[in-house]
Amino acid sequence: ALEAFAKQELGEDNLTRTNSLAQLRSWLQSQPHLNNCRTDSNFLLRFLRMQKHKVTKSSLILEKYLHMRCSHPKWFQNLDIQDPLLAELVTSGYLFVLPERDQEGRKVVFSVARNLDPARHSSSDAMRAHIMTFEALLAEEENQIRGFTYIFDCSGLTLSHLSIWTPQEVGKVFSICEKNLPMRHRDINLLMLPFPMWAVFEFCKTLLSDKIKKRFSVQSTQDKLVTKLGGVDILPAEYGGRRPLADMTKEWAGELEGRRNSLLDLDAMTVTENLAVKKTKERKSSLWGLFSGYGVSES
């Protein structure tokens, strides 16, 4: 069934896969500035599948991805579940993956957004929690093919949660991640978005392509979401499902622990041109005053 889906969605079969992998590996050999780039099929297919096996486009994304990792180490490197702040973001439920797939066969990335503590967690911690999750999921080929569903529980979210980001950083993150991460974002659900957050959401949407914008939906209740997922059972017990959220986050943390070495090994891939590493500033000054009127003070 997965092979048929890959053929239908990505135009992928054994011959396409073999040819495009050979071409991408050949291209990599002609790029001396890309150091220690992984050449295994699992890694290269992430880029080929994102671009439906168009090799030239895939090679551009791969190069941008490597540049991205080197240019912004605070966001994309040291994806270590043993870092206490990262582990806390996972086990608290700020970001984890549901154990079961949805009715489309996709893995579901789940976030209780208010569980980030802006007094303790930086934009670097939040970003690395996301990238660590994405990289771990991409290690499984079914996820590369089927893409991902996202559920962000936004209840209780305030502008203070966003104060760890400047709008410029948000702009950069949105554009980098949509264009350079080899992921197929299929369905993005914002659950119970508080009214003051709508202005922020509209601002963030302007940074995304039309294709991704169409995949966002805002749900004021769980009903439509449950219908889309194919039932409530796969959700945490706190949302009407079978298993407590704490069990699910513990299981996902265990999976990240199992993949820890391969996640840290990603940092061996470098780009020579980029000898001057740009520092990603972690400024706390909150320009979210753009959306003021909601009691944001400069922090």
Side-chain angles (χ1 to χ4, degrees), residues 130-258:
H130 281 88
I131 301 301
M132 175 170 70
T133 297
F134 299 158
E135 293 282 11
L137 286 168
L138 287 169
E140 203 176 327
E141 291 202 23
E142 183 168 358
N143 299 335
Q144 299 175 12
I145 293 168
R146 292 197 187 276
F148 301 93
T149 295
Y150 301 88
I151 300 170
F152 295 95
D153 174 1
C154 301
S155 59
L157 194 61
T158 66
L159 287 173
S160 71
H161 289 101
L162 303 185
S163 64
I164 62 170
W165 300 97
T166 66
Q168 291 93 327
E169 282 180 327
V170 171
K172 197 177 282 183
V173 165
F174 272 73
S175 63
I176 291 175
C177 292
E178 185 188 342
K179 297 185 180 86
N180 303 345
L181 274 179
M183 297 181 72
R184 306 183 70 232
H185 312 287
R186 307 298 295 166
D187 184 29
I188 304 160
N189 302 277
L190 303 183
L191 189 59
M192 296 176 282
L193 187 69
F195 179 69
M197 293 290 111
W198 274 90
V200 177
F201 173 54
E202 291 302 327
F203 163 70
C204 292
K205 269 196 354 189
T206 63
L207 306 168
L208 296 166
S209 69
D210 288 342
K211 187 171 82 173
I212 293 286
K213 275 181 204 166
K214 290 188 185 114
R215 294 183 182 163
F216 269 91
S217 55
V218 180
Q219 321 276 359
S220 52
T221 67
Q222 273 183 223
D223 302 348
K224 277 188 187 166
L225 182 61
V226 166
T227 308
K228 271 207 270 190
L229 292 173
V232 77
D233 286 352
I234 72 168
L235 290 171
E238 291 82 346
Y239 297 81
R242 285 192 296 248
R243 292 178 58 189
L245 182 138
D247 280 9
M248 292 183 171
T249 61
K250 190 175 175 187
E251 184 174 317
W252 179 244
E255 204 161 317
L256 291 170
E257 185 64 50

Side-chain angles (χ1 to χ4, degrees), residues 1-2 7-8 13 40 45 50 66 99 126 129 187 195 201 203 227 246 258 262 277 284-285 288 293 295-296:
L2 187 60
K7 178 70 175 168
Q8 179 193 329
D13 54 28
D40 57 286
L45 282 168
M50 181 195 184
L66 295 170
D187 184 29
F195 179 69
F201 173 54
F203 163 70
T227 308
S262 63
V277 173
K284 285 234 175 168
S285 69
W288 294 106
V296 191

Side-chain angles (χ1 to χ4, degrees), residues 11-165:
E12 177 177 313
D13 54 28
N14 286 339
L15 185 63
T16 315
R17 201 166 47 233
T18 305
N19 286 343
S20 58
L21 277 169
Q23 287 176 56
L24 193 53
R25 285 189 179 115
S26 167
W27 173 82
L28 263 175
Q29 285 179 331
S30 69
Q31 306 297 314
H33 62 299
L34 305 180
N35 309 310
N36 306 318
C37 184
R38 281 174 55 178
T39 56
D40 57 286
S41 301
N42 176 297
F43 181 74
L44 296 181
L45 282 168
R46 302 171 188 193
F47 301 92
L48 290 164
R49 285 169 171 149
M50 181 195 184
Q51 295 298 330
K52 301 192 175 179
H53 289 274
K54 297 181 182 81
V55 178
T56 305
K57 280 188 171 180
S58 303
S59 63
L60 282 171
I61 299 283
L62 172 54
E63 185 164 11
K64 283 182 185 172
Y65 164 89
L66 295 170
H67 272 288
M68 168 189 84
R69 297 195 87 259
C70 293
S71 302
H72 305 286
K74 280 188 176 178
W75 288 347
F76 297 100
Q77 294 185 22
N78 195 28
L79 307 176
D80 190 355
I81 187 61
Q82 291 181 15
D83 176 329
L85 287 167
L86 284 194
E88 196 177 292
L89 286 173
V90 172
T91 54
S92 72
Y94 169 71
L95 196 75
F96 66 104
V97 177
L98 300 184
E100 293 179 62
R101 294 175 181 272
D102 67 9
Q103 68 176 349
E104 301 291 333
R106 297 192 285 251
K107 277 292 197 181
V108 181
V109 178
F110 198 99
S111 170
V112 185
R114 65 179 177 275
N115 287 356
L116 175 137
D117 177 355
R120 290 172 49 70
H121 300 117
S122 66
S123 58
S124 164
D125 300 327
M127 189 66 181
R128 284 185 302 140
H130 281 88
I131 301 301
M132 175 170 70
T133 297
F134 299 158
E135 293 282 11
L137 286 168
L138 287 169
E140 203 176 327
E141 291 202 23
E142 183 168 358
N143 299 335
Q144 299 175 12
I145 293 168
R146 292 197 187 276
F148 301 93
T149 295
Y150 301 88
I151 300 170
F152 295 95
D153 174 1
C154 301
S155 59
L157 194 61
T158 66
L159 287 173
S160 71
H161 289 101
L162 303 185
S163 64
I164 62 170
W165 300 97

